[in-house]
Amino acid sequence: MQTLAIVAKRDKPEAVALAAQIRERYPHLSVLADRTLAHELGWPRVDDRELVTRADLMVVLGGDGTLIYAARLLGGRGVPILGVNLGSLGFMTEVPVEELYPMLEQVLVGRFQVDSRMKLTCRLLRGGRVLIEDEVLNDVVINKGALARIADHETSIDGVPITTYKSDGVILATPTGSTAYSLSAGGPIVHPSVDCTVLSPICSHALTQRSIVVPADRTIRVTLRSETADTYLTIDGQTGHGLQGGDCIEVERSPNRVNLVRNPKVAYFSILRQKLHWGER
């Protein structure tokens, strides 16, 4: 590995200082930074495309939100991501700060394993025309805004009608995103090695409408069948788009994946026990 790309949590002095230390520690490597971090450090700034093209390893200094941003930055490139936890939860950023350098040394010589995480492709169609197409690591959320009105979400899987959710919204989550908003909405926890999509209504009007786990190779379509003001499509919590009655959101498995460097000292269920406080009273 010759080039490290560092993506840091914004407004986090600890992340800025750590990025500077990494560059000083490895003078033989080309160490690049995302535009905001480069500006704070006074480093030469490169655009996103160059950063992604040149990177052999992406180092994330922050929390899960920062890691999701880095994954979106990479697009379809399978560059491994080393997540260093400077956030509060850290389901995906598995490496604590004190273990950064021993872990990084192993990665630089090729002694590491990755978790290959499934992504979704999300398309917003209006009048049969694709307005937006994006890739998703965590979740796709259709949700209402300020007005407390339920909406009708006509849902089908591979063209077969499932139901019309009368609800505040609908979440379509990857296994990675199953421990995020989907979990708060009553969805299941899915191990990240299981490729599937979790379909969860948000505050459904019918108590019998529960989360569904759908095989990853199926196409899910949700059509907004009511004219509801302030309804939005949110992708990975990063971008938002206003919706209109008749809009269709189509979700299927992406051909691209995200490769997260594993911390060999931490197992997935150990993370769940720690973050969700299982076994505590």
Side-chain angles (χ1 to χ4, degrees), residues 79-277:
V79 175
I81 300 174
L82 176 63
V84 182
N85 184 23
L86 301 180
S88 55
L89 282 176
F91 277 99
M92 290 180 281
T93 47
E94 295 184 357
V95 180
V97 174
E98 57 271 18
E99 295 180 19
L100 165 60
Y101 292 117
M103 189 72 189
L104 191 51
E105 296 287 350
Q106 294 297 308
V107 173
L108 290 175
V109 296
R111 296 177 187 156
F112 67 98
Q113 293 182 325
V114 297
D115 272 340
S116 177
R117 301 290 182 95
M118 167 188 156
K119 291 203 292 183
L120 295 170
T121 297
C122 173
R123 286 181 285 271
L124 168 59
L125 298 96
R126 181 173 296 162
R129 185 167 61 94
V130 177
L131 294 186
I132 295 161
E133 183 167 350
D134 207 343
E135 292 202 339
V136 182
L137 174 59
N138 232 31
D139 52 31
V140 174
V141 179
I142 305 163
N143 205 356
K144 64 181 178 59
L147 297 178
R149 297 176 183 171
I150 62 173
D152 293 339
H153 307 84
E154 184 181 277
T155 305
S156 67
I157 299 174
D158 278 352
V160 179
I162 301 301
T163 188
T164 296
Y165 293 109
K166 288 184 176 292
S167 61
D168 287 352
V170 175
I171 304 167
L172 299 114
T174 65
T176 298
S178 69
T179 51
Y181 194 4
S182 176
L183 184 61
S184 298
I189 294 174
V190 181
H191 194 280
S193 65
V194 180
D195 275 14
C196 64
T197 304
V198 180
L199 172 62
S200 300
I202 304 171
C203 298
S204 173
H205 188 64
L207 295 179
T208 56
Q209 291 181 332
R210 300 294 180 176
S211 295
I212 302 173
V213 179
V214 181
D217 60 352
R218 309 298 169 87
T219 300
I220 303 173
R221 293 172 66 101
V222 180
T223 303
L224 195 62
R225 287 301 185 199
S226 52
E227 288 289 351
T228 304
D230 295 333
T231 302
Y232 296 92
L233 169 68
T234 305
I235 298 175
D236 264 346
Q238 305 275 326
T239 62
H241 311 279
L243 296 178
Q244 301 175 6
D247 282 357
C248 176
I249 291 83
E250 187 176 84
V251 169
E252 61 187 7
R253 178 169 52 185
S254 167
N256 303 315
R257 302 181 74 88
V258 173
N259 295 314
L260 303 183
V261 176
R262 289 186 54 196
N263 183 350
K265 298 180 181 179
V266 177
Y268 179 71
F269 292 107
S270 300
I271 295 172
L272 291 183
R273 285 198 306 272
Q274 177 189 355
K275 304 301 180 182
L276 301 180
H277 305 289

